[in-house]
Amino acid sequence: MAPEREGTEGHPKKGRKRKRARNKLVGAAKARRAGWDLEEKQPEAKRARLSTILFAENCEVTHGQLSELLKYAVLGKSSVPKPSWCQLFHQNHLNNVVVFVLQGMSQLHFYRFYMEFGFLRKAFRHKFRLPPPSSSFLADITGLQKKQTTGDLPRMMEGSLLSASFKASVNLQNDPIIQKYGSKKVGLTRCLLTKEEMKTFHFPLQGFSDCENFVPTKCSGSVTDNSPLFGLDCEMCLTSKGRELTRISLVAEGGCCIMDELVKPDNKILDYLTSFSGITKKILNPVTTNLKDVQRQLKALLPPDAVLVGHSLDLDLRALKMIHPYVIDTSLLYVREQGRRYKLKFLAKAILGKDIQCPDRLGHDATEDARTTLELAQYFLKYGPKKIAELNLEALTSQQELQPKCQEPRDKTVVQQPNASVLECLDSMGQKLLFLAQETDASELFSSRNCQSIKCLSNKEILEQARVEIPRFPFSIVQFSFEPLSPKLTEEMNKRMRVKWTEMSTVYAGPFSKNCNLKSLKRLFKSFGPVRSLTLVLETHQPHLCIQYEVLEAAQLAIETLDGILVEGTFIKVQRPVTELTLDCDTLVNELERDSENRGTIYLSGVNETFKEHLLKQSSLFLGLEAVILPKDLKSGKQKKYCFLKFKTFGSAQMALDILTGKDWKLKGRHALTPRHLHAWLRGLPPESRRPPGLHVITPASEQQALQTLKVDHPKIAAWRWGRKIGKLYHSLCPGTFCLILLPGTKSFFLEAEDGG
């Protein structure tokens, strides 16, 4: 885990005060770049987290179940049903969902190079197996395989004001939009306001006397048709010095709000303009963020070639007291006759088919308005001036004025169909999915209009793009590609892994006297857990026992309990066989115990069929108990004589362990070492891969040669290098990010981490 970060730079008291007072609106993303620190997050009650209670017995989830979780994480319970197989608490604290795909790696990689994947195994709390992946498993969980059949018309037209009577007999050549832009599609740079237009419409410009104290955004890069768009909207109040900023919202191209701040004006407030801004004295009282804070934040967020999009954007920039050279003003983009301008509310309904600024709501929603202006600009660029002119907006304005105003309150929530894909849900909310991959892996996604696909030449380029692009989208898939293992090497590594865990679960004990009570010794060693085999070793001067346990915890417990203890008149030594596969066993056991999934889980041996009933009767003694895992024999179906208990915290687990191994319960136990999905995976390995303990295994020549020459593409080196690189990327994600990692192989599994937002 990363150490806790110290306070804000500068004076520590001021820094803490500023941090406590920082205001964040519901559903808004924090704008500042922040390192990810699992120890420095909000209290557990306010953190989004995944419940372990409903996890499947075999720790395997289907692609459909994964899709359920992703939809719920992205959209929340107001739009889609909760996932049927797990519980995601406090979803409203999530701002982004990111899925990392390590194409070419599998669960075998994770356990074979467990030490190299140090970051992943420590940071991600829950691990599951997925069924064997199809050739398009990403399409299965996102809906990317569904072809667009709606033609050129966007989904937003369904709820628009457009009617058949207005489609006919529109003289396009006289339409002011056609007169300005022509009838063909135009690029982004054509939609930018020129310097002369900005001067005409009173945009703040450098060198003008009324803009002497204005701050430039320092965006001086070369703008192209591929430059990023950002929707901007501000709310103001009336002070003794005129209109001043009270709220700012900035939305990135994917529809994700990357900045949403309340701002305390510098001067005395005369009128909060609540009917427009939605801001009240009560809302603004605790706010300490000022205009300079917002200016610094905005400058840090905008890339050099950023294009700001807004409606009457000159007023927003003047409220911000900032100068920005590249702007698209939707009130001017959708040109109207005689220099008049369409209202944003009208354009939202006529073009996008959505209702905003409804009278039943207190004031405007700045984030909603910013997102709407962004969608309007994107619509214009996508469908071109001719499509806009065909809508005959002037006639629609007259039609709307004649219609009675709807008094029914509007519900912001868009309820999705139960079988709708993640992409369809995002699309219905005007948002996009980001997909980053190498060129050879991304081709299937480019035809999807609601997916922003970025082709890269290498994993390194994907990493660089991810740092920039992820904060702009509510849902991102980042796919790294690695050379898969050859079938021969996969088979050999599977065998070695099975042998390794078998040897780690095996102990030798002795010496014992020649007159020892074998039944008593068997009973003693079986008390630590289920025994697969127990053999008397007579090759030594005095007898020894070789005990092979079913679970690693039992072997470790036997070593910790009996090594150096007097048994039947002899001090015995209990140890594992020493082979090339167990040389680092002590280190590995320590790392397994510290694995984030094992933290808070205890192993108990000696339980009977009534154990769970007794445990529940005295549940008041075991605070924070989340799950009781009672393994069963696969053949007979009978409950085995050991179990795992999972608690919310390590402290609760330690207290329970002290009680259950005390004189009243008389159980044997320790902290868990092996997650459940590992047992399921080991059962799936071929049985012929077992070997007698201590038998030497020759390292495959190909692997040995690769290690000696330290080839960077060797799977061991790749696991170490990319585990660290993805770790750094993970730490750079903003708070409020729900992150999953998929390792799609023959037996895939993914890892999940909760945000501390």
Side-chain angles (χ1 to χ4, degrees):
M1 293 292 185
E4 289 196 9
R5 292 188 295 274
E6 296 181 1
T8 308
E9 290 184 8
H11 194 282
K13 290 186 178 178
K14 290 182 179 178
R16 286 193 295 269
K17 182 179 179 182
R18 189 181 298 116
K19 187 173 181 180
R20 285 195 303 268
R22 179 172 291 151
N23 168 275
K24 184 177 74 172
L25 295 176
V26 175
K30 288 187 177 180
R32 63 182 176 86
R33 285 182 64 85
W36 186 283
D37 189 331
L38 295 180
E39 299 297 331
E40 194 192 18
K41 298 300 179 181
Q42 292 184 9
E44 186 73 19
K46 295 184 179 181
R47 287 182 52 191
R49 63 185 181 88
L50 201 60
S51 166
T52 58
I53 297 175
L54 300 180
F55 290 163
E57 184 65 29
N58 62 356
C59 299
E60 182 170 295
V61 296
T62 66
H63 294 152
Q65 289 173 325
L66 179 55
S67 181
E68 285 180 9
L69 176 60
L70 289 174
K71 280 198 291 186
Y72 184 70
V74 174
L75 302 169
K77 63 183 178 182
S78 60
S79 298
V80 295
K82 293 182 179 181
S84 59
W85 62 280
C86 64
Q87 289 181 304
L88 179 61
F89 296 106
H90 308 297
Q91 180 278 338
N92 60 320
H93 286 265
L94 294 177
N95 298 317
N96 305 78
V97 174
V98 181
V99 177
F100 294 112
V101 182
L102 309 189
Q103 189 68 39
M105 291 194 178
S106 66
Q107 191 169 1
L108 173 61
H109 283 80
F110 184 78
Y111 284 114
R112 175 64 179 86
F113 308 118
Y114 182 84
M115 302 297 287
E116 284 70 28
F117 277 115
F119 164 76
L120 300 185
R121 57 184 165 79
K122 290 177 182 177
F124 288 74
R125 291 182 59 185
H126 304 298
K127 305 175 181 71
F128 309 95
R129 299 200 312 155
L130 285 172
S134 63
S135 58
S136 58
F137 81 99
L138 279 180
D140 295 340
I141 63 175
T142 62
L144 289 171
Q145 82 283 5
K146 296 186 179 180
K147 296 180 180 179
Q148 304 297 329
T149 57
T150 55
D152 241 357
L153 288 176
R155 48 102 192 150
M156 292 156 306
M157 291 301 301
E158 294 177 0
S160 72
L161 296 170
L162 189 62
S163 65
S165 61
F166 287 109
K167 288 182 182 179
S169 65
V170 178
N171 190 344
L172 298 183
Q173 297 307 315
N174 293 333
D175 191 288
I177 291 180
I178 297 295
Q179 290 178 352
K180 180 174 181 179
Y181 297 104
S183 58
K184 295 182 179 180
K185 291 183 181 180
V186 296
L188 184 152
T189 52
R190 178 69 179 84
C191 298
L192 295 176
L193 291 182
T194 65
K195 191 170 183 179
E196 284 301 315
E197 287 175 320
M198 293 179 73
K199 182 178 178 181
T200 300
F201 295 111
H202 310 293
F203 276 78
L205 294 169
Q206 283 186 318
F208 282 67
S209 57
D210 61 340
C211 303
E212 289 181 357
N213 298 321
F214 281 40
V215 177
T217 57
K218 293 186 178 180
C219 291
S220 55
S222 178
V223 175
T224 68
D225 287 342
N226 294 320
S227 293
L229 299 175
F230 294 87
L232 175 70
D233 188 68
C234 297
E235 302 296 343
M236 284 79 84
C237 68
L238 188 63
T239 72
S240 57
K241 296 291 183 179
R243 288 180 180 266
E244 291 191 48
L245 184 71
T246 53
R247 179 182 175 185
I248 174 176
S249 289
L250 188 72
V251 175
E253 277 184 294
C256 182
C257 181
I258 59 174
M259 182 180 182
D260 196 351
E261 293 284 349
L262 291 175
V263 186
K264 178 83 78 174
D266 295 330
N267 300 291
K268 182 180 179 181
I269 298 176
L270 303 179
D271 189 343
Y272 286 91
L273 304 177
T274 304
S275 60
F276 298 102
S277 67
I279 306 298
T280 63
K281 182 178 180 180
K282 183 178 180 181
I283 291 174
L284 217 54
N285 265 345
V287 178
T288 59
T289 303
N290 58 32
L291 182 62
K292 289 185 178 179
D293 294 330
V294 168
Q295 289 172 339
R296 282 193 297 268
Q297 205 171 39
L298 194 59
K299 285 171 66 176
L301 277 172
L302 295 177
D305 61 339
V307 176
L308 291 180
V309 182
H311 199 80
S312 298
L313 191 56
D314 56 307
L315 300 178
D316 297 315
L317 289 173
R318 287 189 175 276
L320 284 166
K321 293 188 176 181
M322 297 189 78
I323 296 171
H324 187 78
Y326 313 123
V327 297
I328 295 176
D329 193 322
T330 50
S331 70
L332 300 171
L333 181 68
Y334 289 83
V335 187
R336 195 175 181 186
E337 296 174 348
Q338 301 174 355
R340 294 176 297 166
R341 302 192 191 189
Y342 294 113
K343 292 182 179 180
L344 181 62
K345 178 181 175 70
F346 166 76
L347 289 176
K349 184 65 176 176
I351 304 296
L352 308 178
K354 60 192 286 187
D355 295 307
I356 64 170
Q357 302 175 358
C358 293
D360 60 285
R361 197 187 310 159
L362 184 63
H364 298 176
D365 184 334
T367 301
E368 182 182 58
D369 288 356
R371 186 176 287 120
T372 300
T373 61
L374 184 62
E375 290 175 12
L376 286 170
Q378 291 170 329
Y379 184 100
F380 193 97
L381 292 169
K382 186 174 184 66
Y383 297 100
K386 184 179 179 182
K387 186 70 68 177
I388 309 300
E390 288 174 349
L391 300 182
N392 198 353
L393 295 177
E394 199 64 49
L396 288 175
T397 309
S398 303
Q399 182 195 38
Q400 188 184 45
E401 290 172 352
L402 294 173
Q403 289 177 345
K405 292 184 178 180
C406 179
Q407 300 298 321
E408 294 181 8
R410 173 183 172 269
D411 185 4
K412 274 180 66 177
T413 302
V414 180
V415 180
Q416 307 294 345
Q417 295 298 323
N419 58 348
S421 69
V422 181
L423 267 185
E424 290 169 335
C425 295
L426 282 172
D427 187 41
S428 67
M429 299 178 70
Q431 298 181 347
K432 287 186 176 183
L433 175 149
L434 169 68
F435 184 78
L436 276 171
Q438 293 191 28
E439 288 191 61
T440 54
D441 301 320
S443 58
E444 67 179 274
L445 307 179
F446 293 134
S447 61
S448 180
R449 61 178 170 80
N450 45 6
C451 174
Q452 180 68 45
S453 298
I454 299 178
K455 294 184 287 185
C456 300
L457 297 176
S458 64
N459 284 338
K460 183 179 179 181
E461 186 180 347
I462 292 172
L463 197 69
E464 293 170 353
Q465 288 282 350
R467 291 193 180 98
V468 177
E469 299 293 339
I470 284 176
R472 300 178 183 177
F473 293 83
F475 183 28
S476 304
I477 296 178
V478 181
Q479 180 167 298
F480 299 95
S481 297
F482 302 95
E483 191 68 29
L485 299 177
S486 66
K488 183 178 180 181
L489 187 56
T490 299
E491 181 183 2
E492 196 64 42
M493 286 175 64
N494 272 322
K495 291 179 180 179
R496 289 162 60 82
M497 284 304 302
R498 182 58 181 259
V499 171
K500 184 181 181 77
W501 287 102
T502 298
E503 290 185 351
M504 287 179 62
S505 302
T506 300
V507 298
Y508 284 93
F512 298 102
S513 67
K514 295 179 180 179
N515 299 322
C516 64
N517 187 331
L518 195 56
K519 287 186 177 179
S520 175
L521 290 177
K522 286 183 179 180
R523 192 163 48 248
L524 172 63
F525 284 98
K526 285 183 177 181
S527 67
F528 299 108
V531 173
R532 181 173 283 122
S533 66
L534 191 148
T535 309
L536 186 63
V537 179
L538 300 175
E539 296 295 326
T540 52
H541 176 63
Q542 290 181 281
H544 285 69
L545 287 178
C546 173
I547 307 100
Q548 187 182 111
Y549 288 99
E550 288 185 20
V551 292
L552 179 60
E553 287 83 356
Q556 188 64 23
L557 192 56
I559 293 172
E560 294 168 345
T561 305
L562 298 179
D563 188 37
I565 299 298
L566 185 66
V567 177
E568 295 202 359
T570 306
F571 287 98
I572 65 170
K573 185 171 183 61
V574 183
Q575 61 184 342
R576 290 186 176 88
V578 179
T579 72
E580 78 280 4
L581 298 179
T582 61
L583 287 174
D584 62 349
C585 192
D586 290 341
T587 303
L588 184 55
V589 167
N590 290 334
E591 291 298 317
L592 283 167
E593 188 167 338
R594 290 160 55 187
D595 189 296
S596 58
E597 188 174 6
N598 292 328
R599 297 279 291 180
T601 303
I602 61 174
Y603 162 83
L604 295 171
S605 177
V607 302
N608 53 34
E609 294 180 356
T610 61
F611 169 75
K612 185 176 180 180
E613 183 181 341
H614 292 317
L615 189 71
L616 294 177
K617 284 182 179 179
Q618 301 188 44
S619 58
S620 59
L621 296 175
F622 308 106
L623 299 177
L625 178 62
E626 285 190 319
V628 180
I629 303 162
L630 300 167
K632 294 182 179 180
D633 186 275
L634 295 178
K635 293 182 178 179
S636 66
K638 292 183 179 180
Q639 179 184 315
K640 294 191 175 183
K641 295 184 178 180
Y642 71 96
C643 72
F644 293 91
L645 303 183
K646 191 166 185 63
F647 293 83
K648 285 185 178 179
T649 65
F650 178 82
S652 298
Q654 183 61 58
M655 289 178 61
L657 185 61
D658 293 340
I659 293 171
L660 292 167
T661 55
K663 61 180 181 180
D664 293 333
W665 290 77
K666 297 179 181 179
L667 300 175
K668 289 183 171 66
R670 71 174 323 279
H671 291 283
L673 297 174
T674 50
R676 294 163 63 203
H677 56 82
L678 173 62
H679 294 296
W681 179 67
L682 288 173
R683 285 198 301 268
L685 293 182
E688 62 270 14
S689 62
R690 302 178 190 176
R691 68 165 181 172
L695 183 63
H696 181 67
V697 171
I698 300 175
T699 306
S702 57
E703 184 178 1
Q704 189 177 44
Q705 181 182 2
L707 286 173
Q708 288 172 349
T709 56
L710 292 178
K711 290 182 179 178
V712 294
D713 58 347
H714 184 274
K716 184 183 184 78
I717 307 301
W720 177 77
R721 289 180 71 244
W722 285 97
R724 294 184 64 191
K725 288 179 182 292
I726 294 172
K728 289 180 181 179
L729 176 58
Y730 173 85
H731 279 287
S732 72
L733 298 177
C734 293
T737 301
F738 182 85
C739 184
L740 301 95
I741 294 186
L742 296 176
L743 288 82
T746 305
K747 289 289 184 180
S748 305
F749 85 116
F750 75 96
L751 305 91
E752 176 277 332
E754 303 89 13
D755 129 82

